[in-house]
Amino acid sequence: MHESPIIDVGFKIDLSVVIMLIVTCAIVFILAKLSTRNLSVDNPSKLQNFMEWVVEFVQGLITSTMDYKKGRPFLSLGITLIMFIFVGNMLGLPFGLVFDYTNAASATFFGHPLTPVVEGLANGSHGVEVAWWKSPTADAAAAMGLALIVFVLVHYLGIVKNPKHYFAHYFKPFFFFFPINVIEQLSKLLTHGMRLFGNIFAGEVLIAVLLKMSAVWYGAIASVIGLVVWQGFSIFVGTIQAFVFTILAMVYISQSLETDEDH
């Protein structure tokens, strides 16, 4: 596996994740802007049709988890999540951007040395390969950050909008279930983020392995066939993971707004 371009500024920053998050945001913003630039009822553009389909799809996710009157304020959140995660999942598939550093002096970013390169060369490596382009969701911190946003929102809504039911559910069905219910909430955060990270990271690891196989002539054919098959499967996995993450977010939100009258 390639190293990540990490710098230390008092705390460590993975530059590839920062860059890819900015790229993902830019792509989603441009898609949204272009699809709504010239709205038309009689002659909608292909991008407008696509965006309308996304809106209707997310509306379907919301209505499948809660009453739409309650869920309508979260339509924008659902659209943002599914588009951001889908685009982020796809970015690492078409190509990679890897640099081989053999000199620590050249491995800097605005005066800050790339820590993995400096350490690798100091340990006797002849060169350190650093990946600058990858799916941002293939990083645990980015995936868990998205899950943490949903986690904080869910508990905020429960405390502010539905405090009686929110606090009471920690002691159901019996008061001594409180520790188990707390663990359940923490496990939701962990599984929400790590499911996304694990699936996308595993896909990129396999792509890297297949690319390494192409270095020898007898592995080149198997590598090409494997890459074609796995790229197609990775598109499917990336799409499913965007869907799963978004619908789970809606499920958790619906649970935080749920009252005894809803049963």
Side-chain angles (χ1 to χ4, degrees):
M1 285 297 294
H2 305 122
E3 297 290 345
S4 297
I6 297 173
I7 60 173
D8 194 337
V9 292
F11 55 91
K12 293 184 177 180
I13 300 176
D14 189 336
L15 296 174
S16 64
V17 175
V18 175
I19 292 171
M20 297 313 298
L21 286 174
I22 294 173
V23 170
T24 305
C25 289
I27 292 174
V28 172
F29 177 80
I30 291 170
L31 282 174
K33 191 68 176 177
L34 290 177
S35 62
T36 57
R37 183 176 55 178
N38 296 311
L39 294 177
S40 173
V41 176
D42 300 323
N43 188 28
S45 64
K46 292 181 180 179
L47 275 177
Q48 181 182 332
N49 285 331
F50 167 75
M51 188 57 66
E52 288 176 354
W53 175 82
V54 172
V55 171
E56 291 174 0
F57 183 77
V58 175
Q59 285 176 333
L61 296 183
I62 294 173
T63 54
S64 69
T65 58
M66 69 186 96
D67 182 69
Y68 189 66
K69 289 182 180 179
K70 286 185 177 181
R72 186 173 183 178
F74 310 107
L75 177 61
S76 297
L77 172 65
I79 295 171
T80 303
L81 283 176
I82 200 166
M83 289 193 64
F84 181 88
I85 295 172
F86 174 76
V87 172
N89 291 350
M90 296 299 113
L91 286 181
L93 297 181
F95 63 90
L97 193 61
V98 179
F99 290 95
D100 188 8
Y101 293 93
T102 57
N103 183 3
S106 63
T108 60
F109 184 83
F110 288 100
H112 296 282
L114 301 181
T115 305
V117 176
V118 174
E119 293 177 351
L121 295 176
N123 291 333
S125 298
H126 297 293
V128 179
E129 293 183 339
V130 176
W132 287 85
W133 184 280
K134 63 182 182 181
S135 295
T137 46
D139 181 83
M144 288 303 298
L146 290 170
L148 184 61
I149 291 172
V150 175
F151 181 81
V152 171
L153 174 63
V154 165
H155 289 275
Y156 169 80
L157 290 171
I159 294 171
V160 174
K161 301 287 187 181
N162 194 18
K164 182 178 179 181
H165 183 272
Y166 174 81
F167 290 108
H169 94 278
Y170 282 102
F171 301 94
K172 292 182 177 180
F174 304 104
F175 74 92
F176 52 81
F177 273 68
F178 173 75
I180 297 176
N181 288 325
V182 171
I183 293 172
E184 179 192 12
Q185 295 302 315
L186 295 176
S187 67
K188 285 181 180 179
L189 167 63
L190 184 63
T191 56
H192 201 193
M194 294 307 290
R195 181 187 296 106
L196 174 62
F197 159 70
N199 280 277
I200 306 306
F201 178 73
E204 297 207 348
V205 168
L206 186 53
I207 289 175
V209 171
L210 291 170
L211 288 173
K212 289 288 185 181
M213 288 174 58
S214 63
V216 291
W217 68 269
Y218 50 82
I221 296 176
S223 175
V224 170
I225 296 173
L227 277 173
V228 171
V229 174
W230 189 250
Q231 290 275 14
F233 184 69
S234 293
I235 293 173
F236 171 75
V237 170
T239 304
I240 291 297
Q241 289 306 312
F243 164 76
V244 169
F245 191 97
T246 305
I247 195 167
L248 282 177
M250 295 301 121
V251 168
Y252 296 155
I253 289 172
S254 70
Q255 290 174 345
S256 70
L257 299 175
E258 187 180 58
T259 62
D260 294 330
E261 289 76 15
D262 294 329
H263 294 289

